[in-house]
Amino acid sequence: MGLNKQSGNMYPFVTHTWNPIRGRCPHQCTYCYMKKFRVGNLRLEEKEFTTNLGNSNFIFIGSSTDMWAADVPNEWIRKVLEYTKKYNNTYLFQTKNPIRFLKFLSYFKENYILGVTLETNRDYNITKAPEPVERWMEFMQLNKYGIRKMVSIEPVMDFDSRDFLCMLQDIKPEFVSIGADSKNNNLTEPPSKKIKELIYHLKGFTKVIMKKNLNRLMK
Ligand code: SF4
């Protein structure tokens, strides 16, 4: 599979994705775009460690399964991180289980961005991953290490405006990306007024990237 050029609903700033850890994601989110594919068991793809990751790319590593899920062995993650050090790129890692980041702090230099997904502040019981407030508390532990951080609010779900905004502000993210469900998963979505207000306030302390799929909810 190797390095894949950015396509589809991927972040506009990402040039490539790379998935050396593959298979059925333990988090099993009800809205997961991967659930329609037969992906097999969770595994480390040894053949990926001959991939040329190039130079000056912006690579999202782990876009098809959450490589930071509790079931993923430390050795697999360490092997991926060691490999990234051989190439001069910017790397994005994103998870719904940010407590795992804390075990690998020594790897996260200037060219590494760590992300957490917070679709909302509420617990809608739509995933086996830690609930949003738990993710937030875990991710906040990175604040004292000066690591670059981002938040993905996608697919955005209805939230408590004040609480959610405070959570996002506390994280001190370099940027926030916000997008909507694009697969008709029948999620509880916020009205456009609420989203617009959230974006307005977010812009007061961080950069906001709006995904194209958010347009449906902004009318
Ligand atoms: S964490 Fe991501 S990859 Fe894993 S099930 Fe949820 S949406 Fe899918």
Side-chain angles (χ1 to χ4, degrees):
M1 209 170 178
L3 203 57
N4 304 301
K5 281 204 167 159
Q6 194 256 56
S7 65
N9 187 41
M10 185 40 63
Y11 298 121
F13 52 86
V14 160
T15 61
H16 298 82
T17 58
W18 184 50
N19 289 291
I21 296 173
R22 284 190 222 149
R24 203 160 67 99
C25 180
H27 290 159
Q28 295 288 291
C29 307
T30 58
Y31 60 74
C32 183
Y33 79 103
M34 290 297 294
K35 68 184 178 190
K36 65 180 180 205
F37 301 112
R38 287 193 182 182
V39 292
N41 292 334
L42 204 57
R43 63 198 181 276
L44 183 68
E45 288 284 1
E46 292 289 348
K47 64 178 183 293
E48 289 295 333
F49 297 97
T50 55
T51 299
N52 181 353
L53 298 183
N55 196 18
S56 302
N57 292 317
F58 197 135
I59 306 176
F60 180 7
I61 301 181
S63 61
S64 69
T65 196
D66 193 332
M67 61 173 273
W68 305 90
D71 301 20
V72 177
N74 284 336
E75 300 74 50
W76 296 5
I77 296 175
R78 196 167 292 114
K79 184 156 186 182
V80 172
L81 290 169
E82 283 293 335
Y83 196 75
T84 60
K85 289 199 312 192
K86 297 180 182 175
Y87 297 88
N88 186 21
N89 295 301
T90 301
Y91 300 106
L92 170 66
F93 293 100
Q94 187 182 313
T95 185
K96 292 190 177 91
N97 187 39
I99 195 81
R100 290 300 297 278
F101 286 148
L102 293 168
K103 275 189 189 278
F104 301 93
L105 290 174
S106 61
Y107 287 94
F108 304 135
K109 312 293 185 206
E110 258 302 291
N111 56 326
Y112 291 73
I113 301 175
L114 303 186
V116 67
T117 306
L118 295 174
E119 311 93 324
T120 169
N121 66 304
R122 299 179 184 167
D123 182 11
Y124 285 103
N125 199 20
I126 50 156
T127 176
K128 292 181 178 169
E131 64 163 298
V133 169
E134 197 179 333
R135 289 176 219 162
W136 166 71
M137 289 193 326
E138 292 170 358
F139 199 55
M140 288 274 290
Q141 293 186 48
L142 294 174
N143 280 10
K144 54 180 178 274
Y145 299 105
I147 291 165
R148 297 173 70 186
K149 300 188 297 304
M150 62 81 71
V151 177
S152 169
I153 308 174
E154 184 179 2
V156 63
M157 297 182 67
D158 201 7
F159 50 84
D160 302 295
S161 298
R162 199 184 162 93
D163 291 351
F164 195 31
L165 190 66
C166 285
M167 284 168 64
L168 294 164
Q169 192 160 15
D170 284 350
I171 288 172
K172 300 183 179 65
E174 188 171 310
F175 62 93
V176 169
S177 173
I178 179 164
D181 176 25
S182 40
K183 301 284 181 209
N184 286 320
N185 286 297
N186 204 23
L187 303 177
T188 306
E189 297 181 316
S192 64
K193 185 169 180 289
K194 238 171 146 178
I195 299 173
K196 286 173 185 166
E197 281 173 5
L198 179 71
I199 290 171
Y200 172 80
H201 289 295
L202 283 172
K203 284 181 174 173
F205 62 86
T206 191
K207 183 178 168 191
V208 180
I209 295 165
M210 287 183 272
K211 299 275 287 282
K212 281 186 191 154
N213 61 14
L214 189 65
N215 292 343
R216 176 177 62 79
L217 295 182
M218 295 292 272
K219 291 169 188 156

